[in-house]
Amino acid sequence: VIVGVIDTGAWPEHPSFSDQVDLVDRPGESGKRTRVYGPPPADWHGDCQSGELWSQDDCNNKLIGARYFKDGFTNFEINFSGDYLSARDADGHGSHTASTAAGNAGVAASILGVDLGTVSGIAPRARIAVYKACWADAGCAGSDLTMAIDQAVADGVDVINYSIGSSATSLASDDIAFLFAADAGVFVATSNGNSGPGAQTTGSPAWDPWLTSVGASTQDRTFQGSALSSDGWEFFGASITGGTDELPLVDAADAGDELCNPGALDATVVTGKVVLCRRGAIARVAKSQAVFQAGGAGMILYNGNDGDSQNNDTHWVPSVHINNTDGLVIKSYIAATGADAVASIQGGEFTPIDAPWMAGFSSRGSNTVAEDIIKPDVTAPGVNILAGASPINYGDSPQGQLFQFLGGTSM
C-alpha cells in the first residue's frame, strides 16, 4: 500500500521514514544495518523531486516519493524564507501526519531528553509519498492542493491522507479533484475540521460524500504531571516536561499580562518563579517561551473553560496544563497569599485515563450541504498524539526535537 500525504512535506532523515533497521539487538550483528523494504511496486510512477536540502538520496524504499507545489502562489508576494523550497518539512505538521499514518513500528521516541517509549504508524509497513502543498507561514493555495491531488493519483498512490480543510460549504477545486480520485479507486481520508463543538461546523472538503471524514476523540493514555503546594493543594494536568523544586508562585496578571504574550511579562516579577498563565489568543508554547524569556522557572497553564483539552506540548520551561476550575483556585490562592504563595511542578509520567470522549474542538454535523449524508464518517484518536516532528521548525516550540504531541482532526 502506498499512502500519499498532502501536507507540509517530511523530514526525510526521521527514523519513522527509514527503510533500514538497526540490528543492535541481534547477537554478533551489532551496528549492522539491513534493508527491510524491497523496491517500490512496479505500478509506482512517482518521483523524488530535488530541491533545497533535498536530493534523490533522501527518498528510499519506505519514503518512495516526494514532490512540492508552489506555483499557486506565483501571483502573490509570498515570502518562503521561513521554509525550504523542496519537500523538506519546516513546519512539522506533515512529518507528524505522515508518521502517524504509516511511520515505522518500534521507533524509540523522546522529547527534551524524556524517554517516551516506542511509537508506530497505523500502517507501519505501508510506503509513503509526500506532496508538499502547504508552506510554513504561507498556508496552502487551492490550485497547489488540487495539483497535488491529481499528481498523487497519477503517481499511483492507494490512499491519500489530507489533514487540510476549511469552513467553506461550497464546492472547491480540491472537492472535485477528490471526486476523480475516488473514481480512480483511491481511498481518501480527510480531517473533519477543528471548529467544534457547535453543530453544523463541518466544512470543505469533509462534507463530500465521496471521501471519509474523520473526527477527533480522546485516547486512554496521556502523560500527566501536577502543580502542587506545601500549603495543601495539588492539581493534575498534561505534562511531558521535567519538574521544579518548590518556588515562589506568581500570577502572570500581576506580571503584566495574564495571557503571557512574549515580551509582556515583567522579569523583575517573574524571574526564578513559577508563573500561572491563562490559555488563549496565542499558541500555548508561546506562553512558556514568554516565561522563559522573562527568567521564569516554570509555568502552570490553565484553560479558559473546562471544555478545552489539556495538551502535552513541548514547552520551554517545566510546565503543566490544567483545567479552568483548578486554575481559578490557584489564582485565588495567589491573591489571598501574596508574596508567600509557593508551588512546584511534578514532571509528566505515563498515565491511563478514561476514554474515549469527543474532543471539544472536533467539528460536528449535521451536514449543511447534504443533510442526508452523515458527517463525520468516523472518529479516531486525535488528542495528544505522539508522532514525528521536524527538528528545525519555524514555530514557537524549542528546536531540535524529532517528536511532538499534537492534537486536531489532522491527527
Side-chain angles (χ1 to χ4, degrees):
V1 172
I2 301 170
V3 180
V5 182
I6 301 174
D7 213 296
T8 64
W11 194 262
E13 297 86 2
H14 199 284
S16 290
F17 308 136
S18 174
D19 66 352
Q20 300 180 330
V21 63
D22 197 340
L23 298 180
V24 294
D25 295 328
R26 299 187 185 182
E29 296 183 291
S30 177
K32 293 183 181 179
R33 300 177 69 85
T34 182
R35 292 191 177 275
V36 294
Y37 287 90
D43 57 356
W44 169 244
H45 309 297
D47 188 23
C48 186
Q49 183 181 3
S50 299
E52 183 180 2
L53 295 184
W54 191 295
S55 71
Q56 298 286 315
D57 293 337
D58 285 315
C59 293
N60 56 42
N61 288 331
K62 171 70 173 179
L63 182 61
I64 62 174
R67 297 183 188 268
Y68 64 100
F69 304 84
K70 66 179 184 64
D71 289 348
F73 285 123
T74 299
N75 295 321
F76 303 93
E77 295 181 0
I78 299 298
N79 183 3
F80 290 109
S81 62
D83 209 327
Y84 303 100
L85 291 178
S86 70
R88 185 171 289 274
D89 181 14
D91 180 87
H93 190 273
S95 296
H96 197 278
T97 56
S99 57
T100 299
N104 290 324
V107 176
S110 65
I111 298 177
L112 301 173
V114 177
D115 181 3
L116 301 174
T118 60
V119 297
S120 172
I122 297 301
R125 291 290 294 174
R127 318 289 183 127
I128 296 172
V130 295
Y131 297 83
K132 180 176 177 178
C134 297
W135 300 80
D137 300 329
C140 326
S143 53
D144 288 337
L145 292 169
T146 303
M147 181 176 285
I149 296 165
D150 288 348
Q151 188 64 63
V153 174
D155 286 347
V157 303
D158 302 294
V159 174
I160 290 177
N161 184 92
Y162 197 70
S163 292
I164 300 164
S166 73
S167 59
T169 53
S170 58
L171 277 172
S173 57
D174 57 346
D175 296 271
I176 302 302
F178 283 134
L179 179 59
F180 286 106
D183 191 50
V186 176
F187 175 84
V188 178
T190 189
S191 50
N192 197 63
N194 301 327
S195 299
Q200 297 186 328
T201 46
T202 297
S204 172
W207 64 266
D208 294 337
W210 46 82
L211 48 72
T212 296
S213 307
V214 188
S217 53
T218 60
Q219 56 173 316
D220 62 359
R221 54 193 182 273
T222 189
F223 283 81
Q224 188 176 77
S226 69
L228 72 159
S229 173
S230 58
D231 283 334
W233 51 263
E234 182 174 16
F235 299 111
F236 294 89
S239 176
I240 56 166
T241 66
T244 70
D245 294 330
E246 186 161 87
L247 299 168
L249 172 65
V250 296
D251 188 339
D254 299 326
D257 180 16
E258 70 169 356
L259 293 174
C260 293
N261 282 277
L265 296 178
D266 185 345
T268 62
V269 177
V270 168
T271 298
K273 301 174 183 176
V274 175
V275 183
L276 178 70
C277 295
R278 185 175 181 272
R279 181 177 183 172
I282 63 171
R284 297 181 299 270
V285 292
K287 298 174 185 289
S288 63
Q289 185 179 33
V291 172
F292 172 78
Q293 291 172 344
M299 179 184 73
I300 303 170
L301 176 65
Y302 71 100
N303 282 332
N305 64 75
D306 284 340
D308 287 338
S309 59
Q310 296 171 36
N311 301 85
N312 291 124
D313 296 311
T314 306
H315 284 294
W316 290 77
V317 295
S319 301
V320 61
H321 184 175
I322 63 177
N323 67 23
N324 175 261
T325 297
D326 295 343
L328 293 179
V329 171
I330 297 175
K331 188 177 182 71
S332 297
Y333 161 75
I334 296 172
T337 312
D340 293 328
V342 292
S344 64
I345 292 172
Q346 298 300 302
E349 296 181 352
F350 178 86
T351 306
I353 57 175
D354 184 29
W357 302 94
M358 286 305 298
F361 59 76
S362 187
S363 293
R364 266 67 165 179
S366 60
N367 190 336
T368 58
V369 180
E371 293 186 358
D372 58 329
I373 304 297
I374 296 175
K375 292 290 179 171
D377 297 280
V378 296
T379 186
V383 178
N384 288 331
I385 303 302
L386 176 62
S390 168
I392 310 295
N393 69 76
Y394 290 90
D396 300 301
S397 299
Q399 304 290 297
Q401 307 303 310
L402 279 174
F403 295 89
Q404 61 182 334
F405 285 89
L406 289 180
T409 54
S410 288
M411 283 67 246

